[in-house]
Amino acid sequence: MVNGLDGSTQFEQVAAPVPRRRPPVAVVIALLVATIAVFIVIRLVTDVPHLVQRTVPDDDYNRRYVEHPWQAYLHIVAGAGFLGGALLQLPYRIRRGSYAAHRRRGRVLVVLGAVTAIFAVAFGLPFAFGGRGEATATLVFSAWMLACLLLGFRAARRRGFAAHRRWMVRSFATALAVGSIRLWIGLFQATGLLDLRSSFAPAFWIAFTMHVAFAEVWLRTTRPPPEATPSLSATGLHGREGR
């Protein structure tokens, strides 16, 4: 409210705040995490009654999880923990709150990610529902994820924060491909292109390849956070915090 030149009272128009839009990448990540969460719930609802009653499902797809629960659920539980923890590690606004806490969580997540990759092979290689094509994709991309985790950990130990961030983004993108795999399988079945078993190998290769490629494009086309710039990394400021 302001006074006019003639003494009258006038009201200023105040622009309404523009609601912040979620970045498209955040929406996609949320969709994929939700897809993985639904898959885990379906697995529990399907498998737990059989495990408790010591029975075996009739179909080949579900039978693998009941007959080999340790391999399957070490992969599933560790993967869920890795993805959930990564959602707290990657955003800069959360990470900058405490780099000491970030490092502690990071050590746990490297272990969880490694367990995820190792048991993806332990379960996916001998019990691949989609045959050799699925098994090969599982081996290739599990090895890639494990390499990303180890290189990211080594970079952090050497205070190479820019390289550390890049490798961890790659590992997260690879793990997140599990959600895309389920969407591709659903798409192949819904369109009648492939049956359930035949859809696994192409879904694995397409999803993992897309995620690895997208991670590279995203890393090269987005501005890194301040901590990942060479000038800050070289100072070692973040490495000294919380010693």
Side-chain angles (χ1 to χ4, degrees):
M1 185 175 67
V2 297
N3 292 324
L5 295 176
D6 57 356
S8 61
T9 301
Q10 299 178 354
F11 292 88
E12 288 183 325
Q13 284 190 339
V14 179
V18 178
R20 292 183 62 186
R21 294 182 179 179
R22 290 185 178 275
V25 173
V27 175
V28 173
I29 290 174
L31 173 63
L32 294 176
V33 170
T35 301
I36 295 170
V38 169
F39 166 74
I40 293 174
V41 171
I42 292 173
R43 284 265 50 91
L44 291 172
V45 171
T46 303
D47 299 341
V48 170
H50 288 289
L51 293 170
V52 172
Q53 299 170 14
R54 297 178 182 274
T55 56
V56 178
D58 296 330
D59 59 295
D60 294 339
Y61 175 73
N62 290 313
R63 186 181 299 124
R64 303 171 302 148
Y65 292 93
V66 175
E67 291 182 339
H68 311 284
W70 286 107
Q71 296 97 314
Y73 277 91
L74 276 172
H75 167 64
I76 291 172
V77 173
F82 175 78
L83 286 174
L87 294 175
L88 298 176
Q89 290 290 90
L90 295 176
Y92 175 64
R93 65 181 182 276
I94 297 176
R95 188 167 63 248
R96 67 183 178 183
S98 173
Y99 285 99
H102 174 78
R103 285 195 297 274
R104 289 193 295 269
R105 289 193 303 264
R107 295 185 188 105
V108 174
L109 290 182
V110 167
V111 174
L112 288 176
V115 170
T116 301
I118 290 169
F119 279 91
V121 175
F123 181 72
L125 213 59
F127 314 119
F129 182 70
R132 185 175 298 176
E134 177 196 338
T136 305
T138 300
L139 180 60
V140 169
F141 291 103
S142 294
W144 170 247
M145 179 176 170
L146 189 59
C148 291
L149 289 167
L150 295 177
L151 289 170
F153 179 75
R154 185 181 70 170
R157 296 285 294 176
R158 296 179 175 182
R159 299 182 183 177
F161 299 111
H164 167 71
R165 170 181 169 272
R166 290 195 296 269
W167 287 116
M168 300 314 292
V169 167
R170 289 170 180 137
S171 67
F172 175 70
T174 304
L176 200 60
V178 173
S180 291
I181 289 171
R182 305 301 159 187
L183 295 178
W184 278 105
I185 291 172
L187 178 63
F188 288 141
Q189 291 187 272
T191 57
L193 291 174
L194 298 170
D195 60 22
L196 180 61
R197 188 182 296 273
S198 301
S199 65
F200 266 64
F204 269 61
W205 280 106
I206 292 171
F208 278 120
T209 302
M210 284 178 56
H211 278 243
V212 170
F214 178 80
E216 294 304 314
V217 172
W218 190 84
L219 287 170
R220 284 165 171 74
T221 56
T222 57
R223 177 182 295 180
E227 65 192 18
T229 59
S231 58
L232 286 179
S233 299
T235 63
L237 290 176
H238 298 104
R240 289 197 295 268
E241 181 182 336
R243 278 191 180 180

